[in-house]
Amino acid sequence: MLEELAAISINEVSSQHLALTKRHLSSRTISHVFPSIGLDGQLRLRTVTAAGERLLFICSAPAGAGHSGGAASSGAGGAGPGAAAGKELRCLHGFWLKQAGEPRPGGAASLSMWPQGGGAFALGGQLVAASAGPPRNACLQEASVREPCVYASGVWLAATQRPGSTGTEVEVTARVDSCPSAVASGGSRNLFTSVALDSPVFDLAEEGAALAAVGVGAGACAGQADGDFRTTRSFAVLLRGSVQVYRLSFKTQSLSRPPTTAAECCAHFAQMALPIGAAPSQAPAPIVEGGRLWSWSFDDAGVPSFEEQRRQLESGRPLPPAAHLGRWFCGLLRFLAVVLRPVWDAPLVAPVQRRCASDATRGDGRCLALSEDAVRQLLARLRPALRFARQQGLASAHLGSGTSRGVGGSGVPSGAAARALRYTSERHSKDEGLAQIQQLLSRVLDVAERAQQVFGLLSVLHAQRSAFRILQSAVVAGPSLDALLTRPLGTLVGSAEALGPVVQLCAAVVVESGLTTPAAEVVFSTRSGVRTSGSSGTGRRPLRGAGASTSASSGGAEGFVASGEVCRELEEMCPGIFAQVDLSYVQARLGPAVNQGPGPAGELLRRYATCVSPSSLGDHWVELARSLQNMAGEDPRKAAEVCAEKLEQLQQLRFAAAPSEEDLTLATERAKLLLEALLGALGSDPKVRFPGGGGAAAPMPARALVEQLLRKTAALRFSGQDSADASPARGTEEGVNFVHGVILDHLLGSSQQHHILEELLDGNATDMEGFLRSRCATNPLAGEMLWKHCLRRGRPLDASAILLRLAERSDKEVGLLQRVHSLDLARQVASRALPRSKDLVEQLSAKLDIAIRVQVPLHHELQLLAADERVTARWRNAAEQRREDLQKLMNLQELYQTATDFSLYHIVLVIADTSSSVQEKEVRTSAWITIFFPPAASPYSSSELGHAPAAWQHGLFPLLMLRRCPSFLSRDACASPTPVLTAVSQDELQQRTTRLLSEMATALRDSSAMWDVRCIATLLEYCNCLWFQSVGSAALAGDGAESQASAHASLPTASGEAEEGRPRSTTDPQRAARSWVALTVLLQRPFHFTLGDVVKFYAAMLEQLPSWLKDLQSMLPADPSRRRPALSEDDVYVHLGEVVLAVLDQWVTQVEGGRADERSVEDFANAWPSVEGVLSRLRSRLLEVEGEAVRVVAQRLLKDLRRSEAAGRRLSARCVPPPRAPPPALPVLPPPVPVPALPELA
């Protein structure tokens, strides 16, 4: 350092001083030199000349930043004074003059304390602001008397003796970083005062600096690490006959306002520190002035603005401007620099020389480079600051820019539009920069936390008082010890891989702290009683070394207890380092020792488990689980005890200070790993064997082992899995705690261990009913076990409720038919509690009726639709998705919506019949019409099919003809589709419609309002007429009126002419195919018409034909294919006339054949007059039809009408009853006496 300083010529220093202060040096003699390391890691040199001038030199500064002018030293690289700001930055090696100052005389104006928490100090004299004063007399440089001077962490004390005076003046100058004027100007300020003494001053020193000579490196950090944070500074002044001590008191920063600068944020971190005398493990909430901690904010952080980047590019600099880290981040960096700089370049272990007491020879030894007090001070500083930075800093970066107010100021706009505007305006400018700053902050915290854990390991070594012995251990000897002796702290904590020597030192602590001492078997109940109060957070038990483990008769157990305490200490103080300890090496060291004691396998596992902490690597836990499973085959009871111990240790993580979600999740996963390993070893054997007292193995039921494990873990609670107020004895709908849930879930998932669950149902080790109740929503087996258990206990209502819950599960793993089965079982079980369960039985019956009548057929329809390749992918995908949804039970409204979306209106009719809320009149008419004439946007319509149907006639009624299933309301969800029809037959419509009506008659009630005979009969006859028109026209080769007439004539005509006066036979296939509605549908369920009723009904249909035909055609959907024939009123009338004649012929044939009884014959005779009126109107209307084709058919019908009328008259005449007998004759009276005629009358 002196050589480098001497390389600068006096002319260069004078030129730099002139450029800085605009005046020449008063003296060219340096009287004092004070070297220090700055917060940026650069070497700084503060010197004092004989004239009292104070010069600050900085080493290796960049040009333009490290100095403002002056000639370069020999290593400066040619940079001259007054370098232009626009030139490229380059590093200047050597010392450069950074600042120059003059001594400040007393007598200036007094300053008061800053009310805002500034850094003013109080000393016996006045407070004076730094100002330019006259320089000292140059003749003093020739003085032979040395004037004492001292500098320490921003404070100057200098003794000055005036010529011709016996007294001495002590001048005090302190740098203040947080006074209001400094904040306003953006820098620091020097405050000055002086004290006049009447005695010469021989020396000046700061109290505490003498600690540097105590121990090895003990005082290197004591004064400098806390130099900027101490509220008081003491300096000793050596006079002629006395020593006077002066104390500088710095006012603590007030927290009445949020920090606005990096220096204030640094002071904020410093005030979070614990008291120096507190235990390292204590971590109470920081108590600061004002009782409030300000939240971290990134409102001043982000990427440089466009203007800053543009100026950087225009200046010719190769690198873009650095990102703005923000005041909090910069304050944290400054805080860490102040705390860690004194020890950053120091090794952890230092060599010492010791003198042997026996032969007075000297030998080499090793000790920790940091004293116990220094480690405690470092931990007290780092812990609260790093915790605050981890919780507040990273969380604030996720939330974006915050406010500088206390916790609770969100500043988020309430409106959606305002939030969207802010998002679009700020995201592109801040998020990328904030993400980079957050990553940088996370890396800084990782390094700082590794340093904190290293200090935690050192604190454990100091607490054991065995650091010398551990450093002499063979475990740490070799390259690890060499690294600890040579590598500085900064290198060791630079990365997780660089911590290898520290991890090996931790392994030595584990091995040398009593673990290798043979220990007697400690059962679980005894082991659980030796837990220290420190593990519960209320205190700490003093640690013991290895020597304490062999001093008593129970020395083995004591050594084991001491080792457990050490592991707990290491887990708490340095979890990351302890987690990397090679437990296989520790296990190898444990092996030879445990063979000396009883129960070698169990003791080895117990000691190995002690070394595995919650923060250990995942491989360690996997190895522990494997060992636990192997031990369970030999001694299941001891394996269960070890498992319970580790579970208790894992659940203690919830008491840690602000545990992360990742740590809590990892703890639960490791708990599951241990429990599954232990329970997996039980297998299907209902009995396991335990070693008895004499070495024999005694069988024990597996249920007893599980009950023992359940009782020992009943009080464990895992954060994030169990509620805070959970009680072990509470049996609620929430079930059991997390550990019991894992145990019972494993038994439930293993089919070979179901017998254990069934046996546990009869015990009280845990709330089995609560567990099964909480799992029955996701596991059918749990529900089955629970409802059978309730039924055995005589609780049918509870069993029915569980079955209903199984049927209404929210998952899709259970099929619809299985849910319907559970619903049926629930109804049957509830029936056992009648009559008090009457309402429940009715409710379950209604649900079951909806599921069987509606949901199962609807599910089958969607399954059929999804498997039909002719349907477009849009409909098939939608059907598949809805089919998956229908695996769960749904209400009528949801089923109705699904049925209407897919135009399945035959199911809509069933829903309307079931529900009382549906408008029956409106639904029944539109539903019946839509069954035969669905809209164009339906899955089976011709426009939605991928390929046109083989016969275009099938597209007239797509639901009946194109749907590939013979049944319409099938309850068999696995019914396979039928082949695609390619041919067309005349009776095809009749077959499909009668099948539909037959199934609808089964699904609907006979008295249902859906059976509107006027709507159904008129619709069916219209469809029948339309079908015959389509089939007949397709059967002909030509077009035109003649062809149409031939079609009309050929279809209904019999093979031969009937005899005159005889009706046409109804067995004629042509006539039967046309009259199937009247002679089949209306005569069966649910209408049950007689032939007389049919004739009357069709008579009314013919009479009101213009009205209903117009209404029906107006309700038909559009025909995109334009293949639907257009039916006129005459076409329909002729078709209905044919049907009426066929019904009349059937009626006549039935009466004539003698198959009817006397009442039927009489009914025919009584109805014949009205029938004659119908035939008369029919004759008149047939004579008025228009069109050649229709007129041909009408002529033929007129002939049939005359034959049917004649046959009816004859039958009616024969059926007229004979005349009654004449009344009896009256008696004959004698003739009257003749009266003579009067002449006038004559």
Side-chain angles (χ1 to χ4, degrees):
M1 179 185 66
L2 294 178
E3 292 178 357
E4 195 70 28
L5 184 62
I8 307 176
S9 65
I10 189 61
N11 294 330
E12 295 173 355
V13 176
S14 178
S15 300
Q16 295 179 18
H17 185 273
L18 179 61
L20 286 173
T21 63
K22 305 304 180 184
R23 69 171 65 94
H24 295 282
L25 282 173
S26 300
S27 176
R28 299 190 176 190
T29 302
I30 296 178
S31 60
H32 297 83
V33 177
F34 302 100
S36 63
I37 301 296
L39 299 182
D40 55 359
Q42 295 180 350
L43 178 63
R44 284 171 168 78
L45 194 65
R46 289 173 173 83
T47 63
V48 181
T49 65
E53 296 164 312
R54 297 165 187 167
L55 307 178
L56 171 61
F57 291 91
I58 185 171
C59 185
S60 300
H67 75 293
S68 60
S73 64
S74 59
K87 293 184 178 180
E88 181 179 349
L89 287 176
R90 52 192 176 277
C91 187
L92 302 178
H93 303 283
F95 282 103
W96 293 90
L97 184 61
K98 177 70 175 179
Q99 294 177 359
E102 297 288 343
R104 303 293 187 250
S110 176
L111 298 179
S112 60
M113 289 289 188
W114 297 114
Q116 297 295 331
F121 62 91
L123 189 62
Q126 295 177 329
L127 294 175
V128 184
S131 61
R136 296 183 58 188
N137 194 342
C139 67
L140 290 178
Q141 64 183 352
E142 305 297 338
S144 59
V145 180
R146 173 181 174 272
E147 295 179 346
C149 181
V150 66
Y151 172 82
S153 300
V155 178
W156 285 91
L157 268 74
T160 304
Q161 186 174 5
R162 295 293 181 179
S165 175
T166 59
T168 306
E169 184 179 5
V170 179
E171 300 169 351
V172 183
T173 305
R175 187 183 68 245
V176 178
D177 295 327
S178 57
C179 60
S181 60
V183 174
S185 62
S188 60
R189 191 177 185 187
N190 291 331
L191 299 181
F192 171 82
T193 190
S194 63
V195 179
L197 302 174
D198 57 358
S199 174
V201 177
F202 295 101
D203 199 2
L204 298 171
E206 182 180 8
E207 284 190 338
L211 294 176
V214 181
V216 180
C221 66
Q224 297 179 14
D226 297 333
D228 286 356
F229 300 147
R230 288 179 293 174
T231 58
T232 59
R233 305 279 297 279
S234 298
F235 292 87
V237 180
L238 178 60
L239 302 178
R240 185 185 301 274
S242 64
V243 176
Q244 295 186 10
V245 178
Y246 293 88
R247 177 174 298 174
L248 278 70
S249 298
F250 294 86
K251 188 174 182 180
T252 307
Q253 175 186 347
S254 175
L255 294 182
S256 59
R257 59 175 178 83
T260 57
T261 63
E264 292 183 355
C265 293
C266 179
H268 190 75
F269 284 113
Q271 293 183 26
M272 298 178 188
L274 299 175
I276 299 301
S281 62
Q282 293 178 356
I287 302 176
V288 295
E289 182 179 350
R292 185 177 190 181
L293 286 177
W294 295 98
S295 60
W296 190 297
S297 175
F298 278 96
D299 55 356
D300 56 344
V303 296
S305 64
F306 174 76
E307 292 296 331
E308 294 176 349
Q309 298 184 33
R310 183 177 62 81
R311 288 195 299 268
Q312 182 81 358
L313 294 176
E314 291 176 354
S315 65
R317 297 177 181 176
L319 297 177
H324 303 303
L325 300 181
R327 60 184 181 277
W328 281 100
F329 197 171
C330 293
L332 175 64
L333 294 176
R334 181 170 182 172
F335 171 80
L336 294 176
V338 172
V339 174
L340 296 177
R341 171 56 57 193
V343 297
W344 193 252
D345 296 326
L348 298 182
V349 179
V352 295
Q353 291 185 347
R354 57 186 176 87
R355 181 178 299 274
C356 298
S358 59
D359 54 1
T361 59
R362 303 184 62 89
D364 294 334
R366 303 172 188 88
C367 69
L368 299 179
L370 298 178
S371 66
E372 184 175 3
D373 291 338
V375 171
R376 294 175 64 186
Q377 291 175 7
L378 289 170
L379 289 174
R381 291 292 187 192
L382 289 175
R383 272 192 176 139
L386 295 182
R387 185 185 306 114
F388 172 80
R390 176 69 69 177
Q391 296 175 358
Q392 292 277 338
L394 296 183
S396 179
H398 284 296
L399 296 176
S401 60
T403 63
S404 59
R405 299 172 295 176
V407 178
S410 60
V412 179
S414 58
R419 289 195 298 270
L421 180 61
R422 174 171 294 187
Y423 176 81
T424 55
S425 62
E426 294 185 1
R427 177 176 175 83
H428 67 280
S429 63
K430 285 194 173 183
D431 279 7
E432 183 177 359
L434 288 180
Q436 296 176 3
I437 294 173
Q438 179 189 2
Q439 295 175 3
L440 181 59
L441 175 60
S442 178
R443 291 197 294 268
V444 170
L445 291 177
D446 290 342
V447 174
E449 287 173 351
R450 283 194 289 269
Q452 174 187 330
Q453 294 194 35
V454 171
F455 298 146
L457 175 60
L458 299 182
S459 69
V460 174
L461 287 171
H462 283 300
Q464 288 190 92
R465 301 293 186 267
S466 59
F468 182 83
R469 178 178 54 83
I470 292 176
L471 291 176
Q472 301 296 329
S473 172
V475 179
V476 76
S480 299
L481 183 59
D482 296 339
L484 294 174
L485 287 167
T486 57
R487 295 181 189 176
L489 173 66
T491 303
L492 293 175
V493 301
S495 63
E497 293 77 11
L499 277 175
V502 183
V503 173
Q504 194 65 22
L505 177 62
C506 183
V509 175
V510 175
V511 173
E512 298 294 338
S513 298
L515 285 177
T516 57
T517 304
E521 180 182 3
V522 184
V523 297
F524 177 81
S525 58
T526 307
R527 178 67 183 88
S528 61
V530 299
R531 289 179 60 246
T532 63
S533 58
S535 61
S536 60
T538 59
R540 182 173 303 281
R541 179 174 178 172
L543 296 176
R544 309 182 187 182
S549 61
T550 57
S551 59
S553 58
S554 59
E558 288 294 331
F560 179 68
V561 172
S563 65
E565 292 294 337
V566 171
C567 290
R568 290 192 181 92
E569 290 294 327
L570 292 173
E571 179 187 349
E572 181 179 359
M573 304 300 292
C574 51
I577 298 174
F578 185 55
Q580 301 182 46
V581 173
D582 188 4
L583 295 184
S584 60
Y585 174 77
V586 177
Q587 187 178 15
R589 292 293 301 267
L590 294 177
V594 297
N595 293 332
Q596 304 173 8
E603 189 61 32
L604 174 62
L605 176 62
R606 189 184 296 274
R607 295 185 180 185
Y608 183 80
T610 305
C611 300
V612 181
S613 67
S615 58
S616 297
L617 298 179
D619 296 341
H620 298 169
W621 285 92
V622 173
E623 183 64 27
L624 176 61
R626 187 181 298 111
S627 303
L628 189 69
Q629 189 173 20
N630 295 335
M631 180 185 177
E634 300 178 7
D635 193 347
R637 176 177 295 174
K638 185 169 293 186
E641 293 173 356
V642 174
C643 180
E645 292 178 19
K646 299 309 296 181
L647 294 177
E648 183 181 3
Q649 186 179 10
L650 286 172
Q651 69 103 24
Q652 292 293 331
L653 185 63
R654 66 191 181 106
F655 299 113
S660 63
E661 292 294 333
E662 183 179 359
D663 293 338
L664 296 176
T665 303
L666 198 60
T668 58
E669 292 177 355
R670 289 169 175 174
K672 291 181 181 179
L673 179 66
L674 294 181
L675 290 171
E676 291 175 356
L678 175 64
L679 297 173
L682 298 181
S684 59
D685 189 4
K687 293 185 178 181
V688 292
R689 309 186 71 83
F690 298 94
M700 180 180 183
R703 168 190 172 182
L705 176 65
V706 175
E707 285 183 344
Q708 179 185 6
L709 185 62
L710 290 173
R711 290 190 176 94
K712 291 180 179 180
T713 58
L716 300 184
R717 295 293 180 268
F718 279 77
S719 181
Q721 302 292 335
D722 299 312
S723 57
D725 57 346
S727 174
R730 185 181 63 176
T732 64
E733 194 69 20
E734 298 177 359
V736 295
N737 63 7
F738 167 72
V739 177
H740 285 193
V742 174
I743 296 173
L744 299 178
D745 279 332
H746 182 86
L747 298 177
L748 186 62
S750 176
S751 60
Q752 299 176 348
Q753 296 176 340
H754 288 170
H755 63 280
I756 302 178
L757 276 180
E758 295 175 355
E759 294 174 356
L760 290 176
L761 274 171
D762 299 328
N764 57 356
T766 186
D767 185 12
M768 282 297 300
E769 288 193 17
F771 165 76
L772 295 177
R773 189 176 293 108
S774 64
R775 298 299 190 271
C776 67
T778 56
N779 194 318
L781 180 60
E784 182 179 357
M785 295 178 65
L786 184 58
W787 79 261
K788 290 181 179 179
H789 172 73
C790 293
L791 194 61
R792 288 194 301 267
R793 292 296 182 90
R795 293 150 51 191
L797 293 180
D798 293 342
S800 177
I802 296 168
L803 285 168
L804 178 60
R805 189 172 178 180
L806 288 176
E808 295 178 347
R809 288 175 52 186
S810 58
D811 62 297
K812 299 180 181 179
E813 297 180 359
V814 180
L816 177 61
L817 296 181
Q818 187 175 352
R819 294 176 187 271
V820 175
H821 177 67
S822 299
L823 195 61
D824 188 23
L825 285 178
R827 181 184 59 84
Q828 297 179 19
V829 171
S831 300
R832 299 189 178 187
L834 288 173
R836 56 192 178 97
S837 62
K838 178 181 178 182
D839 295 339
L840 178 60
V841 171
E842 293 178 356
Q843 177 185 357
L844 294 175
S845 299
K847 289 179 177 290
L848 183 62
D849 185 56
I850 294 173
I852 294 177
R853 295 174 56 192
V854 179
Q855 187 164 350
V856 172
L858 182 58
H859 180 271
H860 171 60
E861 290 288 347
L862 295 179
Q863 182 180 4
L864 190 68
L865 182 60
D868 197 339
E869 298 179 354
R870 300 172 303 166
V871 182
T872 57
R874 177 173 67 92
W875 286 105
R876 285 189 283 110
N877 295 337
E880 182 64 27
Q881 183 178 359
R882 293 289 184 90
R883 187 188 70 85
E884 292 295 330
D885 297 338
L886 284 180
Q887 294 291 347
K888 301 182 295 183
L889 296 179
M890 293 187 174
N891 54 36
L892 278 179
Q893 184 64 34
E894 296 172 334
L895 298 174
Y896 176 81
Q897 186 64 40
T898 302
T900 54
D901 290 344
F902 290 89
S903 300
L904 302 174
Y905 279 86
H906 58 295
I907 297 180
V908 172
L909 286 173
V910 181
I911 297 176
D913 178 62
T914 306
S915 175
S916 60
S917 61
V918 181
Q919 301 295 330
E920 296 179 350
K921 184 176 182 180
E922 298 178 1
V923 170
R924 68 189 179 193
T925 302
S926 62
W928 281 111
I929 294 176
T930 312
I931 290 175
F932 292 89
F933 299 98
S938 59
Y940 290 112
S941 63
S942 300
S943 59
E944 295 291 334
L945 293 177
H947 303 281
W952 66 268
Q953 290 86 356
H954 292 162
L956 295 177
F957 312 108
L959 184 64
L960 277 70
M961 306 296 183
L962 298 180
R963 181 176 165 276
R964 297 175 57 186
C965 185
S967 60
F968 292 89
L969 297 175
S970 174
R971 298 178 183 178
D972 183 10
C974 299
S976 58
T978 57
V980 179
L981 299 178
T982 57
V984 179
S985 61
Q986 292 184 356
D987 60 345
E988 192 170 351
L989 177 64
Q990 174 185 354
Q991 295 175 2
R992 301 298 296 149
T993 305
T994 52
R995 178 66 180 267
L996 170 65
L997 295 177
S998 174
E999 295 185 15
M1000 295 293 292
T1002 305
L1004 302 179
R1005 295 168 290 128
D1006 290 347
S1007 60
S1008 173
M1010 300 299 105
W1011 295 115
D1012 186 359
V1013 65
R1014 295 179 179 84
C1015 173
I1016 297 173
T1018 53
L1019 176 63
L1020 292 180
E1021 288 297 353
Y1022 183 84
C1023 295
N1024 194 16
C1025 180
L1026 187 65
W1027 177 255
F1028 272 91
Q1029 287 280 4
S1030 303
V1031 174
S1033 61
L1036 299 175
D1039 296 327
E1042 295 181 357
S1043 299
Q1044 294 293 333
S1046 300
H1048 279 280
S1050 63
L1051 289 177
T1053 305
S1055 57
E1057 291 293 335
E1059 298 180 0
E1060 183 68 22
R1062 301 291 299 176
R1064 185 183 300 272
S1065 174
T1066 55
T1067 60
D1068 185 359
Q1070 295 289 342
R1071 174 161 291 185
R1074 187 175 286 269
S1075 59
W1076 59 270
V1077 177
L1079 297 179
T1080 304
V1081 174
L1082 295 182
L1083 299 181
Q1084 296 176 355
R1085 179 184 176 187
F1087 305 109
H1088 300 291
F1089 275 27
T1090 63
L1091 291 176
D1093 297 335
V1094 174
V1095 172
K1096 292 179 182 180
F1097 182 79
Y1098 273 82
M1101 190 184 302
L1102 288 171
E1103 184 177 357
Q1104 301 176 10
L1105 174 64
S1107 176
W1108 65 260
L1109 181 61
K1110 180 179 179 181
D1111 294 340
L1112 176 60
Q1113 290 180 338
S1114 65
M1115 298 178 65
L1116 297 181
D1119 181 21
S1121 62
R1122 299 182 180 275
R1123 293 184 175 182
R1124 184 192 303 165
L1127 298 180
S1128 64
E1129 184 178 332
D1130 292 341
D1131 293 333
V1132 179
Y1133 198 93
V1134 170
H1135 168 75
L1136 293 178
E1138 179 76 14
V1139 174
V1140 170
L1141 293 179
V1143 173
L1144 184 58
D1145 292 345
Q1146 177 68 21
W1147 197 6
V1148 170
T1149 303
Q1150 179 180 348
V1151 174
E1152 283 185 343
R1155 293 189 299 271
D1157 53 7
E1158 183 178 352
R1159 180 65 180 271
S1160 299
V1161 175
E1162 184 178 355
D1163 291 341
F1164 180 83
N1166 294 334
W1168 177 248
S1170 60
V1171 174
E1172 282 187 317
V1174 173
L1175 295 178
S1176 177
R1177 291 190 295 273
L1178 179 61
R1179 182 186 300 108
S1180 301
R1181 183 66 177 80
L1182 290 176
L1183 294 174
E1184 298 175 357
V1185 297
E1186 298 179 356
E1188 183 177 355
V1190 181
R1191 192 177 297 112
V1192 172
V1193 179
Q1195 293 298 326
R1196 179 181 55 79
L1197 290 181
L1198 288 174
K1199 295 180 182 179
D1200 293 341
L1201 187 149
R1202 287 193 294 269
R1203 284 193 293 269
S1204 298
E1205 188 176 18
R1209 287 176 180 176
R1210 288 194 301 271
L1211 181 60
S1212 175
R1214 291 200 306 267
C1215 294
V1216 173
R1220 298 179 180 179
L1226 297 176
V1228 179
L1229 297 176
V1233 178
V1235 179
L1238 295 178
E1240 50 274 12
L1241 293 177

